[in-house]
Amino acid sequence: MSERFEQCVRIDAAHPALPGHFPGHPLVPGVVLLEQVALALGRWRGQRLARVLEAKFVAPLLPDETATLCLTGVATEGSRARFEIRRDGCLLARGVVEGSA
């Protein structure tokens, strides 16, 4: 298994979470970004997201923007992974998650 996984993330403007976050000026909620992390963890390691150990949201992702989600393994903890979400080199979010079978 590779110790690195990347995928593109793009949240459609019609996503049901966007109208309430924030009316007239929508941005992708952190929980939707974490959902993408969970889905990527499943594709990469076949694991489900068990815990979010750390998450920091640094800059917003707007609807229909494309970002890159990168997961990397944590050497000392086989079930843990670091994540970063970037758009055009700009850090949007980062953190550590734990997966389980």
Side-chain angles (χ1 to χ4, degrees):
M1 169 180 19
S2 172
E3 282 306 303
R4 182 177 170 90
F5 177 85
E6 277 192 18
Q7 74 175 34
C8 287
V9 172
R10 184 177 177 277
I11 306 302
D12 191 271
H15 190 284
L18 296 177
H21 208 84
F22 295 92
H25 302 285
L27 48 106
V28 178
V31 69
V32 174
L33 295 177
L34 289 174
E35 177 184 41
Q36 295 300 306
V37 171
L39 293 169
L41 188 62
R43 287 185 195 102
W44 180 38
R45 290 185 170 168
Q47 296 178 330
R48 67 173 186 81
L49 180 65
R51 294 191 305 165
V52 176
L53 300 168
E54 176 186 332
K56 180 151 180 103
F57 302 96
V58 182
L61 179 65
L62 301 178
D64 294 328
E65 287 185 330
T66 300
T68 301
L69 166 59
C70 179
L71 293 170
T72 54
V74 176
T76 59
E77 294 288 334
S79 63
R80 291 186 181 178
R82 296 185 193 284
F83 73 87
E84 284 190 351
I85 301 173
R86 293 182 175 270
R87 179 193 59 243
D88 299 327
C90 175
L91 180 65
L92 305 179
R94 65 172 170 77
V96 179
V97 295
E98 188 171 84
S100 68

